[in-house]
Amino acid sequence: MRVWYVLSGRRPGFMPASLLLLLATLAACAIDPDELHAHHWYKLGVEDINEALQRTQNTKLAKNVVLFLGDGMGISTVTAGRIFKGQKHGKSGEEGYLSFERFPNMALLKTYNVDKQVADSAAAATAFLSGAKGNFYTLGVTAAVKAGDCAASLLPENRPKSILSWAQEQGKETGLVTNTRITHATPGAAYASSAQREWECDAKMKEEADPSVMQCKDIARQLVEDEPGMSLKVIFGGGRQAMGAPLTNSTTTSCRRLDGQNLALKWQERRQSENASYAYVTNTRQLKDVDINNTEFILGLFADNHMSYERNRDVSEAGEPSLSELVATAIRRLDRAKKGYFLIVEGGRIDHAMHDGKAQLALEEMLAFDAAVATALGLVDLNETLVIVTADHSHGLAINGYPDRGNDILGTTFYEEGIADNMPHTTLLFTTGPGFNYSYDGTKVVRANVSGVDTRAASYMFPATVPTKMGESLHSGEDVAAYAAGPWSHLFHRTHEQTYVAHVIAYAAQVGPFASPHAP
Ligand SMILES: *[C@@H]1O[C@H](CO)[C@@H](O)[C@H](O)[C@H]1NC(C)=O
Ligand SMILES: *[C@@H]1O[C@H](CO)[C@@H](O)[C@H](O)[C@H]1NC(C)=O
Ligand SMILES: *[C@@H]1O[C@H](CO)[C@@H](O)[C@H](O)[C@H]1NC(C)=O
Ligand SMILES: *[C@@H]1O[C@H](CO)[C@@H](O)[C@H](O)[C@H]1NC(C)=O
Ligand SMILES: *[C@@H]1O[C@H](CO)[C@@H](O)[C@H](O)[C@H]1NC(C)=O
Ligand SMILES: *[C@@H]1O[C@H](CO)[C@@H](O)[C@H](O)[C@H]1NC(C)=O
Ligand SMILES: [Zn+2]
């Protein structure tokens, strides 16, 4: 209580040494001194209750829908990202919010695949984009299709439509934005049906032992030859190689087309045959030069493989646009759609950094994703636009120990009373991952000493319990969150199946299974 008096100025002149120490600590980690007062928390409580009481249920038709997907963005990543964001702004970090954390409605989603307790991105994407769950490593097909079963994947009843098809059938315009290859798991499930997510180009299919898989069509071709990919007004991502488009770096190997097709050119020829205005762009300068108000279709392939991590991105005009810039351009283009639009945006590289055990890269990606959501919120009208932010699955990233308030989220901590080997550890630790680093000292197994190690360095791999190869840290199976704002966002209200996302979108926008009006 003494602290309260002194800080509130009611008992001036008395300041014991312990309090000076406390104040110094508060200053060092930028804690708001108000936090020492109960009234600070009471004031927050009143504000939050007022906000909750003023919540209205918007039951208008969702003219537009923007679905943001943070790949691998588990709840611990959201928490760590929030702290990281605050710390970048000189704050302690824990007290802040990401752009979507103040959305009025949220729910938890069960992410399991039909045949696995823990999901992969392709089958998870099938769930939230088509409303039906599938099997591990399959994409845009029901669970009647086992991974790799081309014949089963060709049966029409095993190919559920995605929300992009539902939207197009009701005359809405559609867009797809990712910073992964445009043929990768999440974007792929929006427009393709494939028994195997790796069939991004024909080369990966030729590698299969069973030659009959060639009866199936690779994912890249489905984007330019079939609906709903063919009618997408905006396609932004990486993946020139799987598309057979000219490369900037011929040594890149993701999936090299064997059929010699240039699908980016094929896409342009289709637009020409329709007499439609279009633009094909491959860098930031070209994207900025698009006359967005007078261009019907835009295809942007900004990298041979995945686009760069935000931390490594070439921010010059010859380089790659940020996820925010892509989202802003996509919304500006789609906004003139008379019957509204559906836009899917993936922050896909959070997951990749996690697979590499690179928590620092993952959190940078998390913030790039957060910025992209903020950009969208500045451009859409939430009265008529349903905005959902969710993840496909989690990662085994944990926030550990008892680090002091404001401790660098990428740094180390040491709880002397509890830690048995008398060494600090990084606050962030992976369950599985390439950062596994134990050795035998002749009598016992010991972990790497992280004292003095630069855990913020780009090359640093955060420690993991179970060893994996580089790029192979495994996903985690706990629920992910869905944050929602706009028409019908209150339909997210408890723990749901991940498939529920597609059904809420369909209901709110009256498309697909809810195409006939449900409101009187
Ligand atoms: C081309 O790709 C290789 C392999 O990924 C990489 O080592 C090299 O730096 C790249 N070169 C350029 C100019 O991007
Ligand atoms: C495109 O324009 C040409 C020339 O004006 C015309 O002959 C052709 O029918 C048009 N095609 C379509 C699909 O509108
Ligand atoms: C494009 O259209 C929007 C909406 O009508 C308008 O605000 C904007 O000024 C236009 N941009 C240009 C470059 O004409
Ligand atoms: C949204 O709807 C509310 C209530 O109908 C109205 O007060 C507000 O002006 C609307 N906002 C916009 C941007 O149209
Ligand atoms: C393991 O930790 C040691 C320091 O204890 C370090 O030199 C080494 O590079 C680390 N290895 C890996 C794979 O992280
Ligand atoms: C860990 O490393 C630090 C700094 O190099 C050193 O002072 C300390 O003794 C080491 N701890 C153990 C248990 O080896
Ligand atoms: Zn993954």
Side-chain angles (χ1 to χ4, degrees):
M1 293 316 289
R2 182 175 290 159
V3 168
W4 192 91
Y5 285 125
V6 170
L7 288 181
S8 63
R10 294 188 190 183
R11 285 184 58 182
F14 174 67
M15 199 175 278
S18 60
L19 180 59
L20 284 173
L21 185 67
L22 175 63
L23 287 176
T25 310
L26 291 185
C29 52
I31 296 173
D32 179 354
D34 265 5
E35 286 190 20
L36 305 190
H37 307 228
H39 74 68
H40 167 77
W41 304 104
Y42 278 51
K43 187 165 149 276
L44 281 186
V46 169
E47 282 168 11
D48 279 11
I49 285 174
N50 281 335
E51 187 182 312
L53 291 173
Q54 279 160 25
R55 249 165 20 126
T56 52
Q57 297 197 341
N58 181 346
T59 56
K60 285 184 233 157
L61 176 72
K63 182 183 178 200
N64 312 310
V65 177
V66 185
L67 174 63
F68 278 95
L69 193 281
D71 198 312
M73 188 183 74
I75 290 175
S76 60
T77 301
V78 174
T79 306
R82 172 202 305 154
I83 296 172
F84 186 55
K85 182 179 183 180
Q87 293 185 343
K88 281 195 140 192
H89 290 93
K91 302 207 168 69
S92 181
E94 302 83 355
E95 64 293 323
Y97 291 91
L98 295 168
S99 56
F100 50 88
E101 289 189 290
R102 301 298 292 259
F103 281 7
N105 298 291
M106 62 183 297
L108 292 176
L109 305 176
K110 297 190 279 176
T111 63
Y112 67 94
N113 297 157
V114 169
D115 62 344
K116 291 272 187 191
Q117 222 159 44
V118 177
D120 91 298
S121 294
T126 306
F128 61 78
L129 294 176
S130 75
K133 288 207 181 204
N135 291 325
F136 193 70
Y137 260 59
T138 65
L139 179 148
V141 292
T142 65
V145 179
K146 291 200 176 68
D149 186 347
C150 162
S153 77
L154 291 173
L155 299 174
E157 64 269 29
N158 295 344
R159 299 167 77 90
K161 286 181 178 175
S162 89
I163 58 173
L164 293 183
S165 294
W166 297 345
Q168 289 175 7
E169 285 164 4
Q170 299 305 316
K172 292 181 186 292
E173 303 197 23
T174 51
L176 183 56
V177 174
T178 180
N179 51 9
T180 68
R181 294 190 293 269
I182 196 67
T183 48
H184 201 242
T186 310
Y191 60 80
S193 293
S194 180
Q196 166 55 264
R197 59 178 278 182
E198 289 178 350
W199 295 347
E200 291 179 54
C201 83
D202 55 345
K204 284 283 158 67
M205 301 174 71
K206 281 256 165 62
E207 287 169 13
E208 298 285 346
D210 176 3
S212 76
V213 304
M214 294 311 291
Q215 287 161 13
C216 280
K217 195 186 274 193
D218 65 70
I219 294 166
R221 276 182 60 202
Q222 292 187 52
L223 175 61
V224 299
E225 293 176 9
D226 301 335
E227 296 292 11
M230 222 164 63
S231 294
L232 279 164
K233 294 294 166 76
V234 177
I235 304 173
F236 289 155
R240 285 190 290 252
Q241 189 162 41
M243 296 285 282
L247 306 180
T248 54
N249 183 351
S250 58
T251 58
T252 302
T253 50
S254 54
C255 197
R256 192 183 294 272
R257 293 205 72 81
L258 299 175
D259 61 10
Q261 288 209 67
N262 175 347
L263 297 175
L265 186 61
K266 193 166 179 181
W267 179 91
Q268 295 171 73
E269 286 165 356
R270 177 177 294 279
R271 268 49 284 194
Q272 284 159 11
S273 73
E274 295 165 341
N275 293 338
S277 55
Y278 68 91
Y280 171 59
V281 296
T282 59
N283 65 29
T284 301
R285 173 79 262 158
Q286 292 172 359
L287 181 69
K288 283 184 180 164
D289 283 348
V290 175
D291 178 3
I292 203 78
N293 287 358
N294 294 298
T295 304
E296 186 75 2
F297 295 88
I298 317 173
L299 170 63
L301 297 177
F302 302 101
D304 297 346
N305 195 341
H306 298 304
M307 290 175 68
S308 300
Y309 286 117
E310 180 57 29
R311 186 173 168 136
N312 307 334
R313 186 168 66 88
D314 173 358
V315 299
S316 78
E317 300 229 304
E320 301 169 25
S322 67
L323 195 60
S324 279
E325 288 169 318
L326 294 179
V327 167
T329 309
I331 292 178
R332 287 199 190 103
R333 162 59 195 87
L334 294 172
D335 208 26
R336 68 170 183 265
K338 292 211 165 42
K339 292 186 171 175
Y341 63 84
F342 271 31
L343 173 64
I344 300 170
V345 181
E346 183 196 28
R349 308 221 62 202
I350 302 168
D351 176 72
H352 296 165
M354 294 283 192
H355 281 297
D356 284 346
K358 305 273 183 74
Q360 68 284 51
L361 271 184
L363 296 190
E364 294 281 5
E365 289 304 298
M366 171 78 242
L367 295 199
F369 179 74
D370 174 60
V373 176
T375 295
L377 293 175
L379 295 171
V380 304
D381 175 359
L382 283 178
N383 279 358
E384 57 173 25
T385 308
L386 171 63
V387 178
I388 301 169
V389 178
T390 187
D392 45 2
H393 56 75
S394 183
H395 264 279
L397 180 80
I399 304 171
N400 304 272
Y402 302 118
D404 283 341
R405 183 70 190 283
N407 193 56
D408 185 348
I409 190 65
L410 293 172
T412 60
T413 181
F414 178 53
Y415 181 60
E416 204 173 342
E417 294 85 341
I419 298 293
D421 60 6
N422 210 30
M423 288 193 297
H425 60 87
T426 50
T427 300
L428 300 180
L429 293 166
F430 284 95
T431 46
T432 65
F436 175 89
N437 195 350
Y438 292 81
S439 53
Y440 187 62
D441 74 355
T443 53
K444 60 183 185 308
V445 171
V446 294
R447 66 191 170 92
N449 183 354
V450 293
S451 300
V453 173
D454 180 8
T455 56
R456 281 182 157 264
S459 60
Y460 184 69
M461 281 187 289
F462 281 73
T465 315
V466 175
T468 65
K469 295 169 190 159
M470 190 68 182
E472 294 288 343
S473 140
L474 311 181
H475 296 168
S476 296
E478 79 275 12
D479 299 345
V480 296
Y483 309 83
W488 297 102
S489 57
H490 54 280
L491 294 181
F492 290 101
H493 67 116
R494 60 165 168 83
T495 300
H496 307 280
E497 291 289 357
Q498 189 163 40
T499 45
Y500 186 59
V501 173
H503 297 279
V504 170
I505 290 172
Y507 188 84
Q510 296 180 14
V511 300
F514 295 103
S516 49
H518 52 76

